[in-house]
Amino acid sequence: MKIVAILCFTTLLFAAAAYASGEHPMDMEKTECIICHSNKDVVSKPEVVKEWNQSRHSYTGVGCGNCHGDENNFQEKPLKNACESCHSMQVAETKGNVQCSGCHAVHTFTVHRKMR
Amino acid sequence: MNMTRREMLKLSVAASAAAAVGIPLTAETLTPVKNSGEIDVDRWVKGVCRFCGTGCGVYIGVKANKVVAMKGNPEAKTNFGYLCVKGSMIHKFMYHPDRLTTPLIRNQNGKLEPATWDKALDLIAKKFKDYQTRFGKNSVAYYGSGQCTTEESYTFNKLWKGGFGSNYVEGNPRLCMASAVAGYLSSIGSDEPAGTYADFESTKCLFITGSNTSEAHPILFRRIWERKRKDPSLKIIVCEPRKTKTSDIADLWLPIDPGTDLAVFHSIAYEIIKNGWHDKAYIEKLARITDGEKTFTLDEYTKHLSQFDADAVAKMTRCPAKSIRQAAEWFAKSGATMSIWCMGLNQRSRGVWANNLIHNLHLITGNFGKPGADSFSLTGQPNACGGVRETGSLSHLLPGCRLVANPAARAQVEKAWNIKDGTIDPKPGPDTVEMFAALGAENDTSKPIKAIFICTTNPAQSMPNLPKYLPNMQAGFLVVADIFPTRTTQFADVVLPAAFLYEKGGVYGCSERRSQLTEKAVNPPGQAKPDIWIAAQIAKRMGHSKLIPWNGDDSMKANELAWTDYIKVTKDTEKTLWGATYKRLKESKEGIQWPCPSENHPGTYKRYVRGMDPVFDMPGYKEKIPANASQYFYVDAKGEGKANIFMRAYAGAAETPNAEYPFFLTTGRVVEQWHTGTMTNRVPEIARAHPNAYLEIHPTDASKLGLKQGDMVEVTSRRGKNTLPVRIVEVALPGVLFIPMHDQKKERMVNFICNDAVDGASKEPEYKIAAVKITRIGGPMDVAEQYNISDVNEKFVF
């Protein structure tokens, strides 16, 4: 049991370190993102997949890789530039260091926080 | 650079292949664009998205003379700054190491080897002249694309029809939009919609059929969704055999077996008239009921429709009678109903009839010519409308969508082109399916077409019933201009490296009659050249430089000359773009919608309506329009200002399931991939979502066949087969299967299965419906590796 706990702890540490460095913590290979990210044993917030499924992004085909990139350009927390290609006007109106996620609930996206 | 072993191997293979054909590769070309945190560019260049027919306005981000980013143009009236997953990542494949950057000629050993442009163009001209001398002017054909610019399609069309005197000009819009063209021509009298996307904002009932808008036109779907969110009273009806994400926002889903929708449309019409919801005054004033020859009364039409009683139709189609009745009521009583459709109606052996029946619903209810009320065909490709339909780059058309069979139209075009009377052949050329059936080797007397120039399209993957046409492509002399190796370049005798849209500029015309100009943003890589330059160089070498004088190296200058020539030829037609000068298109951030007869005209929101449509005041039209007519179909061939309500019979698919082939198979797009996947499959971030094709099957059918998720199956039609994994999902109806069309792997290319039966009028093939059987061949296998053709000399063994 101790060994399992140590392994889990080590994995989490590794994941945290990798995320912090802007890299996905493991080789993404051919696995679809939502397969691991729906599994509570693998990730800490499996609900994000459910949220995304109900979002306008899901309905217009904006998947994980569009904002988070892939192994070559992974971003755990996408910045404004990830939004700008598709939402250029809204990003242009976002001044300074304010990031889109400051106002819009990530993964649901459908509405502005203030409108909820 | 963090690279997995798999990616390293792929890049190594690509590098070897490129090196083998003399393509210089640097670390810069091999390194994907990094996500830097902020978009950092030297300049943003105005343009249009390269993908679907929506016509999204974009800005192309350039840094150090390379395209490094994309963003939406907020002032564009099509997308208001929004882009979809494909459009936002165009820059990610432009510098892929597989780009073709040097001309290639197939040598005596069957290998493609690098050549100079002069050598390649001289060979093409020599071969074409030789074939034309020995086998006649029609032995050399052109096959273009709804993805060429308008200037390019116009130039090739002019060279063939005005230079060679040959109507052997076709394009892939024959495979996607021809039924919509024939539908508009027969029902309304003129191709392309009366309304525009702006009708989405004022419609009160939206009827979506034959379109998975959510995936095929995601930015329009966003617009529809936004309208529904702001105004939940908007009724959305979706009629589809698959319950896709498009249906998820619908108030009413009309499920149907593939090919049976004609009965549903007739039934809706019957319910409308039976309940007195039709607009009798509109029908009397602006429509005639006809079978194409005779005219009929409303009573006779109603009697014809009575065979499509909702209860009877429910049994034929699997669409509940109650739903048909509800749809009829909403359609007729909303106050403003708009219909949109796409390939689900067009790619059918009765595609024209299906189009006619949608127009019928609008004409009997008067849902035409007012805000929010329109019968609107969505276009699949970015420039099928502007580049092919409007320039008349099909075998039966001339610029302005005039018919080659019409002597007056030929005379008008000959005069404008300043060529001898009688140069244009009065006989229409073959349609696409006939053209590829007639292509063959020099010594094959049964095949009159010996050579074909294929531009910006991939028929060796996109033609239906591939087993029938691939040997012909292999046997004929093929010249292929493209940006990547494809299934078609595998058969080519000469491969020409083409410039990408943002490396040459040009005009695209989208679904809503809007022409928008893309500026040249960067130079093409290596020796790649714009297609307009290629066309003009061939013209020069074949003695037609007077006809095509725009043969200089400056692509934007050549584009402007070609565009100016084009708008002169179509100046007096109802599709006039005379006021859309190149200068104006360059300055405009939203483009211009035809008809636009003068430089001070803003472009047209709604056709056939006085006060909105400038054609009412154009010479040649105004004389025949009554002064008191507020709405008038001035394109009516009978000169009565009326549209046609077609009394069509019912016909199902050319092939329906039986004991041997018990399932319907349909095919289509997924949001991440474009057509045959040659561009989008090279963008890892989006391709990973749908790298390979699969068979979508309903759990009920899977259970009966003992299939489990991921099992490998063989799907067989009367023409060919696929081997691919199953995805068990509740999307399509039981008995209806789906395979996406983008996969380039031979075993998963759905067009080996699809039917090449064509519509009798439009000659568009029935991609959407085939009868198939399934055999389980094993458990799950690893087939997720996305497949691209990287080595130009890889053989296509079929």
Side-chain angles (χ1 to χ4, degrees), chain B residues 7-25:
Chain B
E7 284 161 339
M8 181 65 85
L9 280 172
K10 280 166 67 176
L11 285 176
S12 302
V13 171
S16 309
V21 294
I23 301 169
L25 286 181

Side-chain angles (χ1 to χ4, degrees), chain B residues 671-682:
Chain B
V671 65
E672 295 88 354
Q673 297 278 7
W674 170 254
H675 276 198
T676 56
T678 55
M679 292 181 282
T680 45
N681 213 33
R682 288 180 163 94

Side-chain angles (χ1 to χ4, degrees), chain B residues 410-427:
Chain B
R410 289 198 306 278
Q412 288 161 7
V413 176
E414 283 164 350
K415 190 179 169 196
W417 281 348
N418 198 23
I419 54 176
K420 259 194 332 190
D421 290 355
T423 303
I424 298 173
D425 193 331
K427 191 180 169 200

Side-chain angles (χ1 to χ4, degrees), chain B residues 523-566:
Chain B
N523 286 322
Q527 299 176 54
K529 293 281 191 185
D531 302 87
I532 197 166
W533 181 87
I534 296 168
Q537 291 300 320
I538 293 169
K540 191 174 158 185
R541 281 165 171 77
M542 295 184 74
H544 296 291
S545 54
K546 271 191 185 167
L547 194 70
I548 314 287
W550 43 88
N551 51 26
D553 290 336
D554 182 340
S555 66
M556 286 307 286
K557 199 171 174 185
N559 290 341
E560 182 168 359
L561 288 167
W563 177 264
T564 307
D565 202 68
Y566 162 60

Side-chain angles (χ1 to χ4, degrees), chain A residues 23 27-33 52-56 58-63 65-73 75 79-82 84-90 99 110-111 115, chain B residues 2 4 6-7 32-39 70-72 74 80-85 88-89 92 214 218 221-222 225-226 229 245 248 671 684-686 688-689 727 782 784-785:
Chain A
E23 287 179 13
D27 193 346
M28 292 158 85
E29 272 295 329
K30 301 169 186 174
T31 314
E32 281 186 43
C33 306
W52 172 82
N53 252 324
Q54 298 301 316
S55 75
R56 192 176 303 179
S58 161
Y59 278 80
T60 51
V62 182
N66 301 113
C67 305
H68 293 283
D70 68 353
E71 282 160 315
N72 292 320
N73 52 16
Q75 289 282 331
L79 301 174
K80 276 193 283 193
N81 70 325
E84 191 173 355
S85 292
C86 307
H87 302 275
S88 59
M89 186 165 64
Q90 291 76 6
Q99 297 297 324
T110 312
V111 288
M115 290 168 65
Chain B
N2 178 27
T4 64
R6 181 169 57 101
E7 284 161 339
V33 177
K34 287 274 182 182
N35 205 351
S36 62
E38 296 291 331
I39 295 182
M70 298 293 298
K71 69 174 182 181
F80 306 110
Y82 295 99
L83 288 184
C84 79
V85 296
S88 65
M89 297 212 177
K92 299 218 168 188
S214 160
F221 189 71
R222 192 212 69 81
W225 180 319
E226 187 63 13
R229 188 177 74 81
K245 287 204 168 184
D248 279 359
V671 65
E685 292 95 327
I686 58 175
R688 66 180 296 126
R727 274 194 187 186
D782 185 3
E785 181 74 32

Side-chain angles (χ1 to χ4, degrees), chain B residues 327-340:
Chain B
E329 184 174 359
W330 285 350
F331 195 110
K333 294 171 78 176
S334 75
T337 295
M338 181 179 187
S339 296
I340 56 171

Side-chain angles (χ1 to χ4, degrees), chain B residues 31-110:
Chain B
T31 308
V33 177
K34 287 274 182 182
N35 205 351
S36 62
E38 296 291 331
I39 295 182
D40 177 20
V41 298
D42 298 334
R43 63 183 192 280
W44 290 103
V45 180
K46 186 197 74 162
V48 190
C49 180
R50 171 63 179 73
F51 293 115
C52 80
T54 302
C56 292
V58 302
Y59 280 109
I60 304 145
V62 178
K63 187 171 177 61
N65 294 315
K66 283 201 161 189
V67 175
V68 297
M70 298 293 298
K71 69 174 182 181
N73 168 5
E75 290 163 282
K77 301 295 184 199
T78 47
N79 58 316
F80 306 110
Y82 295 99
L83 288 184
C84 79
V85 296
K86 294 186 292 294
S88 65
M89 297 212 177
I90 288 174
H91 57 289
K92 299 218 168 188
F93 62 79
M94 282 181 65
Y95 302 104
H96 192 281
D98 293 345
R99 270 296 292 266
L100 294 165
T101 56
T102 186
L104 303 164
I105 295 175
R106 199 170 292 281
N107 65 20
Q108 287 177 332
N109 299 323

